[in-house]
Amino acid sequence: AAGSYFMTHKAKAIALLPESCRPPQDYPFVTSGSCHGGFHLLTLRPLKSNGVGGDLWWKDSVWNHDQIHLTGVMYEVAEGAMSASTLDSNWKPESLKVFVQDFQTFLIRKFGSIDAAWDIAFDTDRSGSVNFTEFGMACKATGYVGNATRLWAAFDDDRSGEISREELKIGMSEEQISEIASRSESKAEAAARRKMSSSEPWSSQATALGQ
């Protein structure tokens, strides 16, 4: 299956199993990919038709453009983990837009601009694009605690498997970015002034004691 890619994980199984290898039930497991930090979700399903014992599905291929390896160490998915999967979820465009804007605002407040966030946290290898794995790692590095898969669904709208700097800024004008950054700076300055004001009485007392 190395090198295989399917636009949606619902479209086609990547392999069929003989009857002698029929699993007793759906069996999800994780295997490695070729990109750095890449691990992928696959599922074996039992089948009973025409000498076929089951099939193999690459469940996250809709998000990940990668090569998978079916040799070496594989990991069984913990019981109950699949119930929390977002792979089969459908999100309305309006909801995705809100998630994207909230995330972009988070990046601007933290880094000062989306361009700075891209350079510092996302495109660390300066390739000009990031894949799903790199995107997830960058979200974690920035301290974002929301649903990174849901964000990826919005940013990678063309399902190319990569997003660019411009795609990360989608729907956000330079004026909006500047306005959000200015508001963040004003709040930071106000917080600094409050902190200084709260420490002044102690400074005055220390000065008086010193005299």
Side-chain angles (χ1 to χ4, degrees):
S4 298
Y5 171 71
F6 299 94
M7 284 301 294
T8 65
H9 60 271
K10 296 178 181 177
K12 181 181 178 182
I14 62 175
L16 297 176
L17 306 178
E19 285 186 297
S20 59
C21 296
R22 180 181 294 118
Q25 60 189 21
D26 285 3
Y27 184 76
F29 65 96
V30 174
T31 189
S32 62
S34 62
C35 66
H36 177 69
F39 289 90
H40 304 291
L41 176 65
L42 290 90
T43 299
L44 285 173
R45 302 188 318 170
L47 288 178
K48 293 182 179 180
S49 63
N50 300 324
V52 176
D55 53 12
L56 177 64
W57 294 78
W58 183 355
K59 295 292 288 183
D60 66 349
S61 67
V62 66
W63 307 122
N64 294 282
H65 290 211
D66 194 7
Q67 294 180 340
I68 57 174
H69 300 278
L70 299 179
T71 58
V73 179
M74 301 182 190
Y75 305 89
E76 183 179 359
V77 175
E79 185 177 356
M82 292 301 296
S83 62
S85 173
T86 59
L87 291 172
D88 293 315
S89 301
N90 293 314
W91 301 296
K92 295 180 180 179
E94 296 80 8
S95 299
L96 285 177
K97 184 177 180 180
V98 171
F99 271 96
V100 167
Q101 290 178 341
D102 286 347
F103 179 65
Q104 290 170 327
T105 299
F106 165 80
L107 295 179
I108 295 168
R109 288 174 176 169
K110 189 173 183 69
F111 296 94
S113 69
I114 296 177
D115 283 324
W118 175 264
D119 292 332
I120 296 170
F122 288 85
D123 189 22
T124 56
D125 61 358
R126 301 295 183 265
S127 65
S129 63
V130 297
N131 59 29
F132 178 79
T133 301
E134 292 171 321
F135 181 79
M137 294 173 65
C139 287
K140 183 177 181 179
T142 63
Y144 181 71
V145 295
N147 191 324
T149 302
R150 195 171 195 175
L151 283 170
W152 182 263
F155 285 122
D156 187 30
D157 186 57
D158 61 356
R159 298 295 183 265
S160 67
E162 297 179 331
I163 64 170
S164 65
R165 180 193 301 266
E166 293 307 314
E167 285 177 304
L168 192 64
K169 297 193 289 186
I170 188 171
M172 185 73 70
S173 67
E174 292 300 328
E175 291 77 12
Q176 288 174 302
I177 294 173
S178 298
E179 183 181 349
I180 294 170
S182 296
R183 289 202 304 265
S184 298
E185 289 175 2
S186 299
K187 289 180 180 179
E189 291 171 357
R193 286 195 297 270
R194 287 195 298 271
K195 185 175 181 180
M196 291 178 63
S197 297
S198 65
S199 64
E200 284 178 359
W202 296 100
S203 299
S204 300
Q205 291 179 24
T207 302
L209 289 171
Q211 293 176 346

